[in-house]
Amino acid sequence: MNAAQADEFYARLAADRPNPKSDLEYVNSYTLLVAVVLSAQATDIGVNKATGPLFARVRDPAAMVALGEANLREAIRTIGLYKTKAKNVIALSEILLARHGGQVPEERAALEALPGVGRKTANVVLNVAFGHPTIAVDTHCFRLGNRTGLAPGKTVLEVEEGLLKITPARWGRDAHHYLILHGRYVCKARKPECHLCVVNDLCQFEAKTI
């Protein structure tokens, strides 16, 4: 896919979903960070069910540390890997208090130094909380990058680098939201609904369903 086609690709996704946003529910940059950490290998719906009551009473690192690991485990026990995630959330909260004045840092290196935070999580926080034009490549972005021909790659990093290169600057802020939502609701893994796809004619997927 060339640059002009990529621009048209995003323009159509933007027209289809003019106000894209994360399906995760949060109230500030800290609760966003926690929600993204909890979302690893879990659905956004499942995370939201657990964090709704949690974020009603815990909205900053100090409150999370005061809550304690045992109580946090109980609050998120419906989420996969909840024991490890609870440990990481308490640990990252302690680090935020000790090293960052209780604030979520806006630097990638500082974010990735937090327990439970990898490149994808850092990309989400930098993009959603701070407006950076990063692209968090989840399973949907990875699938679309390869399936459509927008940014083929064998690894998540290759697809991310390809997307950053091909994505026009005007779409950078919302690019990964467009891709994630299109992959979640239209370009599904097992049964892509190509008849509903607004970029069908630009897509290079050979096994289109129409």
Side-chain angles (χ1 to χ4, degrees):
M1 194 176 295
N2 60 40
Q5 290 173 324
D7 187 66
E8 178 63 19
F9 185 98
Y10 282 111
R12 294 188 195 176
L13 293 185
D16 190 46
R17 299 183 187 278
N19 296 299
K21 64 178 182 178
S22 172
D23 283 344
L24 287 173
E25 297 174 357
Y26 60 95
V27 295
N28 55 28
S29 60
Y30 173 71
T31 55
L32 170 67
L33 172 61
V34 172
V36 180
V37 169
L38 296 179
S39 71
Q41 300 182 51
T43 66
D44 289 354
I45 293 175
V47 171
N48 290 339
K49 286 182 179 179
T51 58
L54 176 64
F55 292 161
R57 56 194 175 112
V58 177
R59 298 189 174 191
D60 58 64
M64 188 67 76
V65 172
L67 178 68
E69 186 176 333
N71 288 326
L72 179 56
R73 284 201 305 267
E74 185 61 30
I76 64 169
R77 63 181 299 109
T78 57
I79 300 174
L81 305 175
Y82 73 94
K83 292 182 180 179
T84 298
K85 291 176 180 179
K87 181 178 180 179
N88 285 336
V89 168
I90 294 298
L92 72 82
S93 299
E94 293 173 338
I95 292 174
L96 291 179
L97 290 170
R99 302 179 189 174
H100 303 287
Q103 301 299 309
V104 175
E106 194 176 343
E107 298 78 32
R108 176 185 297 282
L111 285 168
E112 292 188 19
L114 298 172
V117 177
R119 184 176 181 86
K120 186 181 76 172
T121 297
N123 278 337
V124 173
V125 174
L126 289 171
N127 178 270
V128 177
F130 301 111
H132 292 215
T134 57
I135 297 180
V137 178
D138 70 347
T139 57
H140 300 300
C141 286
F142 186 81
R143 181 171 68 255
L144 261 69
N146 281 286
R147 178 182 280 175
T148 67
L150 183 64
K154 295 182 179 180
T155 67
V156 168
L157 185 58
E158 284 181 4
V159 171
E160 179 186 337
E161 291 174 341
L163 288 172
L164 289 171
K165 184 177 180 180
I166 196 67
T167 301
R170 67 176 179 141
W171 304 118
R173 177 64 177 79
D174 292 318
H176 86 269
H177 289 305
Y178 293 134
L179 298 174
I180 289 171
L181 294 173
H182 191 66
R184 181 173 293 161
Y185 299 112
V186 179
C187 193
K188 302 173 184 177
R190 295 184 179 181
K191 294 183 179 181
E193 298 184 6
C194 300
H195 62 290
L196 299 177
C197 181
V198 296
V199 292
N200 187 291
D201 58 313
L202 298 173
C203 176
Q204 298 174 13
F205 184 41
E206 294 182 356
K208 292 179 185 178
T209 56
I210 62 171

